[in-house]
Amino acid sequence: MNTILLDIPDQIESRRLILRSPLPGDGAAVHAGVVATLEQLRAWPASMPWAQEAPSAEASETFCRQGRVDYLARKNLPLLLFLKDGGHFIGASGLHGIHWKHKQAEIGYWCHRAWQGQGLISEAVKAVADFAMTQLQFRRLTCLPDTLNLDSRRVAERAGFQLEGILRNERIAPDGSMRDTALYALTN
């Protein structure tokens, strides 16, 4: 089956969140969120190499527009996270590196610093994982947090992912250390 023919909703919901495909015009909110959180994101170079340089407003809008195209083409399924109450942008998640034939993908996530510590990312990751495993009938999801990012690792564990091992990374962190990623997986 041609994956472009798959009926995939543009948004899913959890108790407190709306998780939806990026749209043109979302770049301003994404840019503000990334810039506000850049210091925290840069701490995890193994899992967030994209955050090592500050994005421009144009790059953030380009990300959103390309994300929309990729979502419609079923190449990747990026999702922006918004609070149901008030509509605030609080971060991003989604399914990347999708292998439709093998029914597997990688899940990624990050949270705006103003909304960290409230369980919102755990809620979002659980919703994305449930969506992937039930509606998309994926057999395997992986998650690759930096080994030292204990909060991110707890998010994966709360969503039911199991640690499978540590991947040695070639990236050098800003402090000169080598940083590795933890391989978590959720299987059906």
Side-chain angles (χ1 to χ4, degrees):
M1 171 184 219
N2 186 338
T3 56
I4 200 116
L5 297 175
L6 293 173
D7 288 326
I8 299 175
D10 283 341
Q11 77 177 36
I12 57 177
E13 294 186 19
S14 65
R15 187 172 60 83
R16 299 178 289 172
L17 299 170
I18 294 172
L19 303 87
R20 69 163 172 77
S21 167
L23 297 172
D26 283 336
V30 171
H31 183 258
V34 169
V35 169
T37 314
L38 201 55
E39 184 178 339
Q40 290 88 350
L41 297 173
R42 283 182 177 160
W44 315 115
S47 58
M48 297 196 188
W50 58 267
Q52 299 311 299
E53 300 292 328
S56 65
E58 182 179 319
S60 295
E61 181 62 24
T62 300
F63 164 80
C64 289
R65 290 175 185 232
Q66 186 62 55
R68 180 66 179 159
V69 169
D70 289 350
Y71 198 97
L72 292 172
R74 311 307 189 223
K75 290 181 181 179
N76 290 301
L77 300 176
L79 295 165
L80 302 182
L81 314 176
F82 297 90
L83 288 177
K84 283 183 178 178
D85 184 14
H88 298 285
F89 171 74
I90 64 109
S93 186
L95 300 171
H96 313 284
I98 298 172
H99 297 280
W100 290 105
K101 179 181 177 183
H102 301 292
K103 295 289 198 173
Q104 62 186 32
E106 178 183 338
I107 189 169
Y109 47 89
W110 68 271
C111 186
H112 187 300
R113 73 182 182 131
W115 304 100
Q116 292 174 0
Q118 299 178 38
L120 293 166
I121 292 300
S122 291
E123 182 176 324
V125 169
K126 180 77 170 121
V128 173
D130 288 347
F131 170 74
M133 297 307 238
T134 58
Q135 289 189 318
L136 300 178
Q137 298 181 333
F138 278 19
R139 291 191 285 262
R140 180 177 170 83
L141 288 181
T142 58
C143 177
L144 297 165
D146 188 296
T147 54
L148 300 179
N149 189 343
L150 300 181
D151 289 336
S152 185
R153 292 179 71 169
R154 278 191 286 276
V155 166
E157 291 163 0
R158 284 187 200 112
F161 287 75
Q162 301 295 314
L163 179 64
E164 288 190 341
I166 304 298
L167 303 175
R168 300 296 169 214
N169 203 323
E170 297 296 321
R171 292 190 194 101
I172 298 176
D175 65 5
S177 65
M178 297 296 281
R179 299 293 274 282
D180 301 323
T181 53
L183 172 60
Y184 284 87
L186 181 66
T187 56
N188 238 351

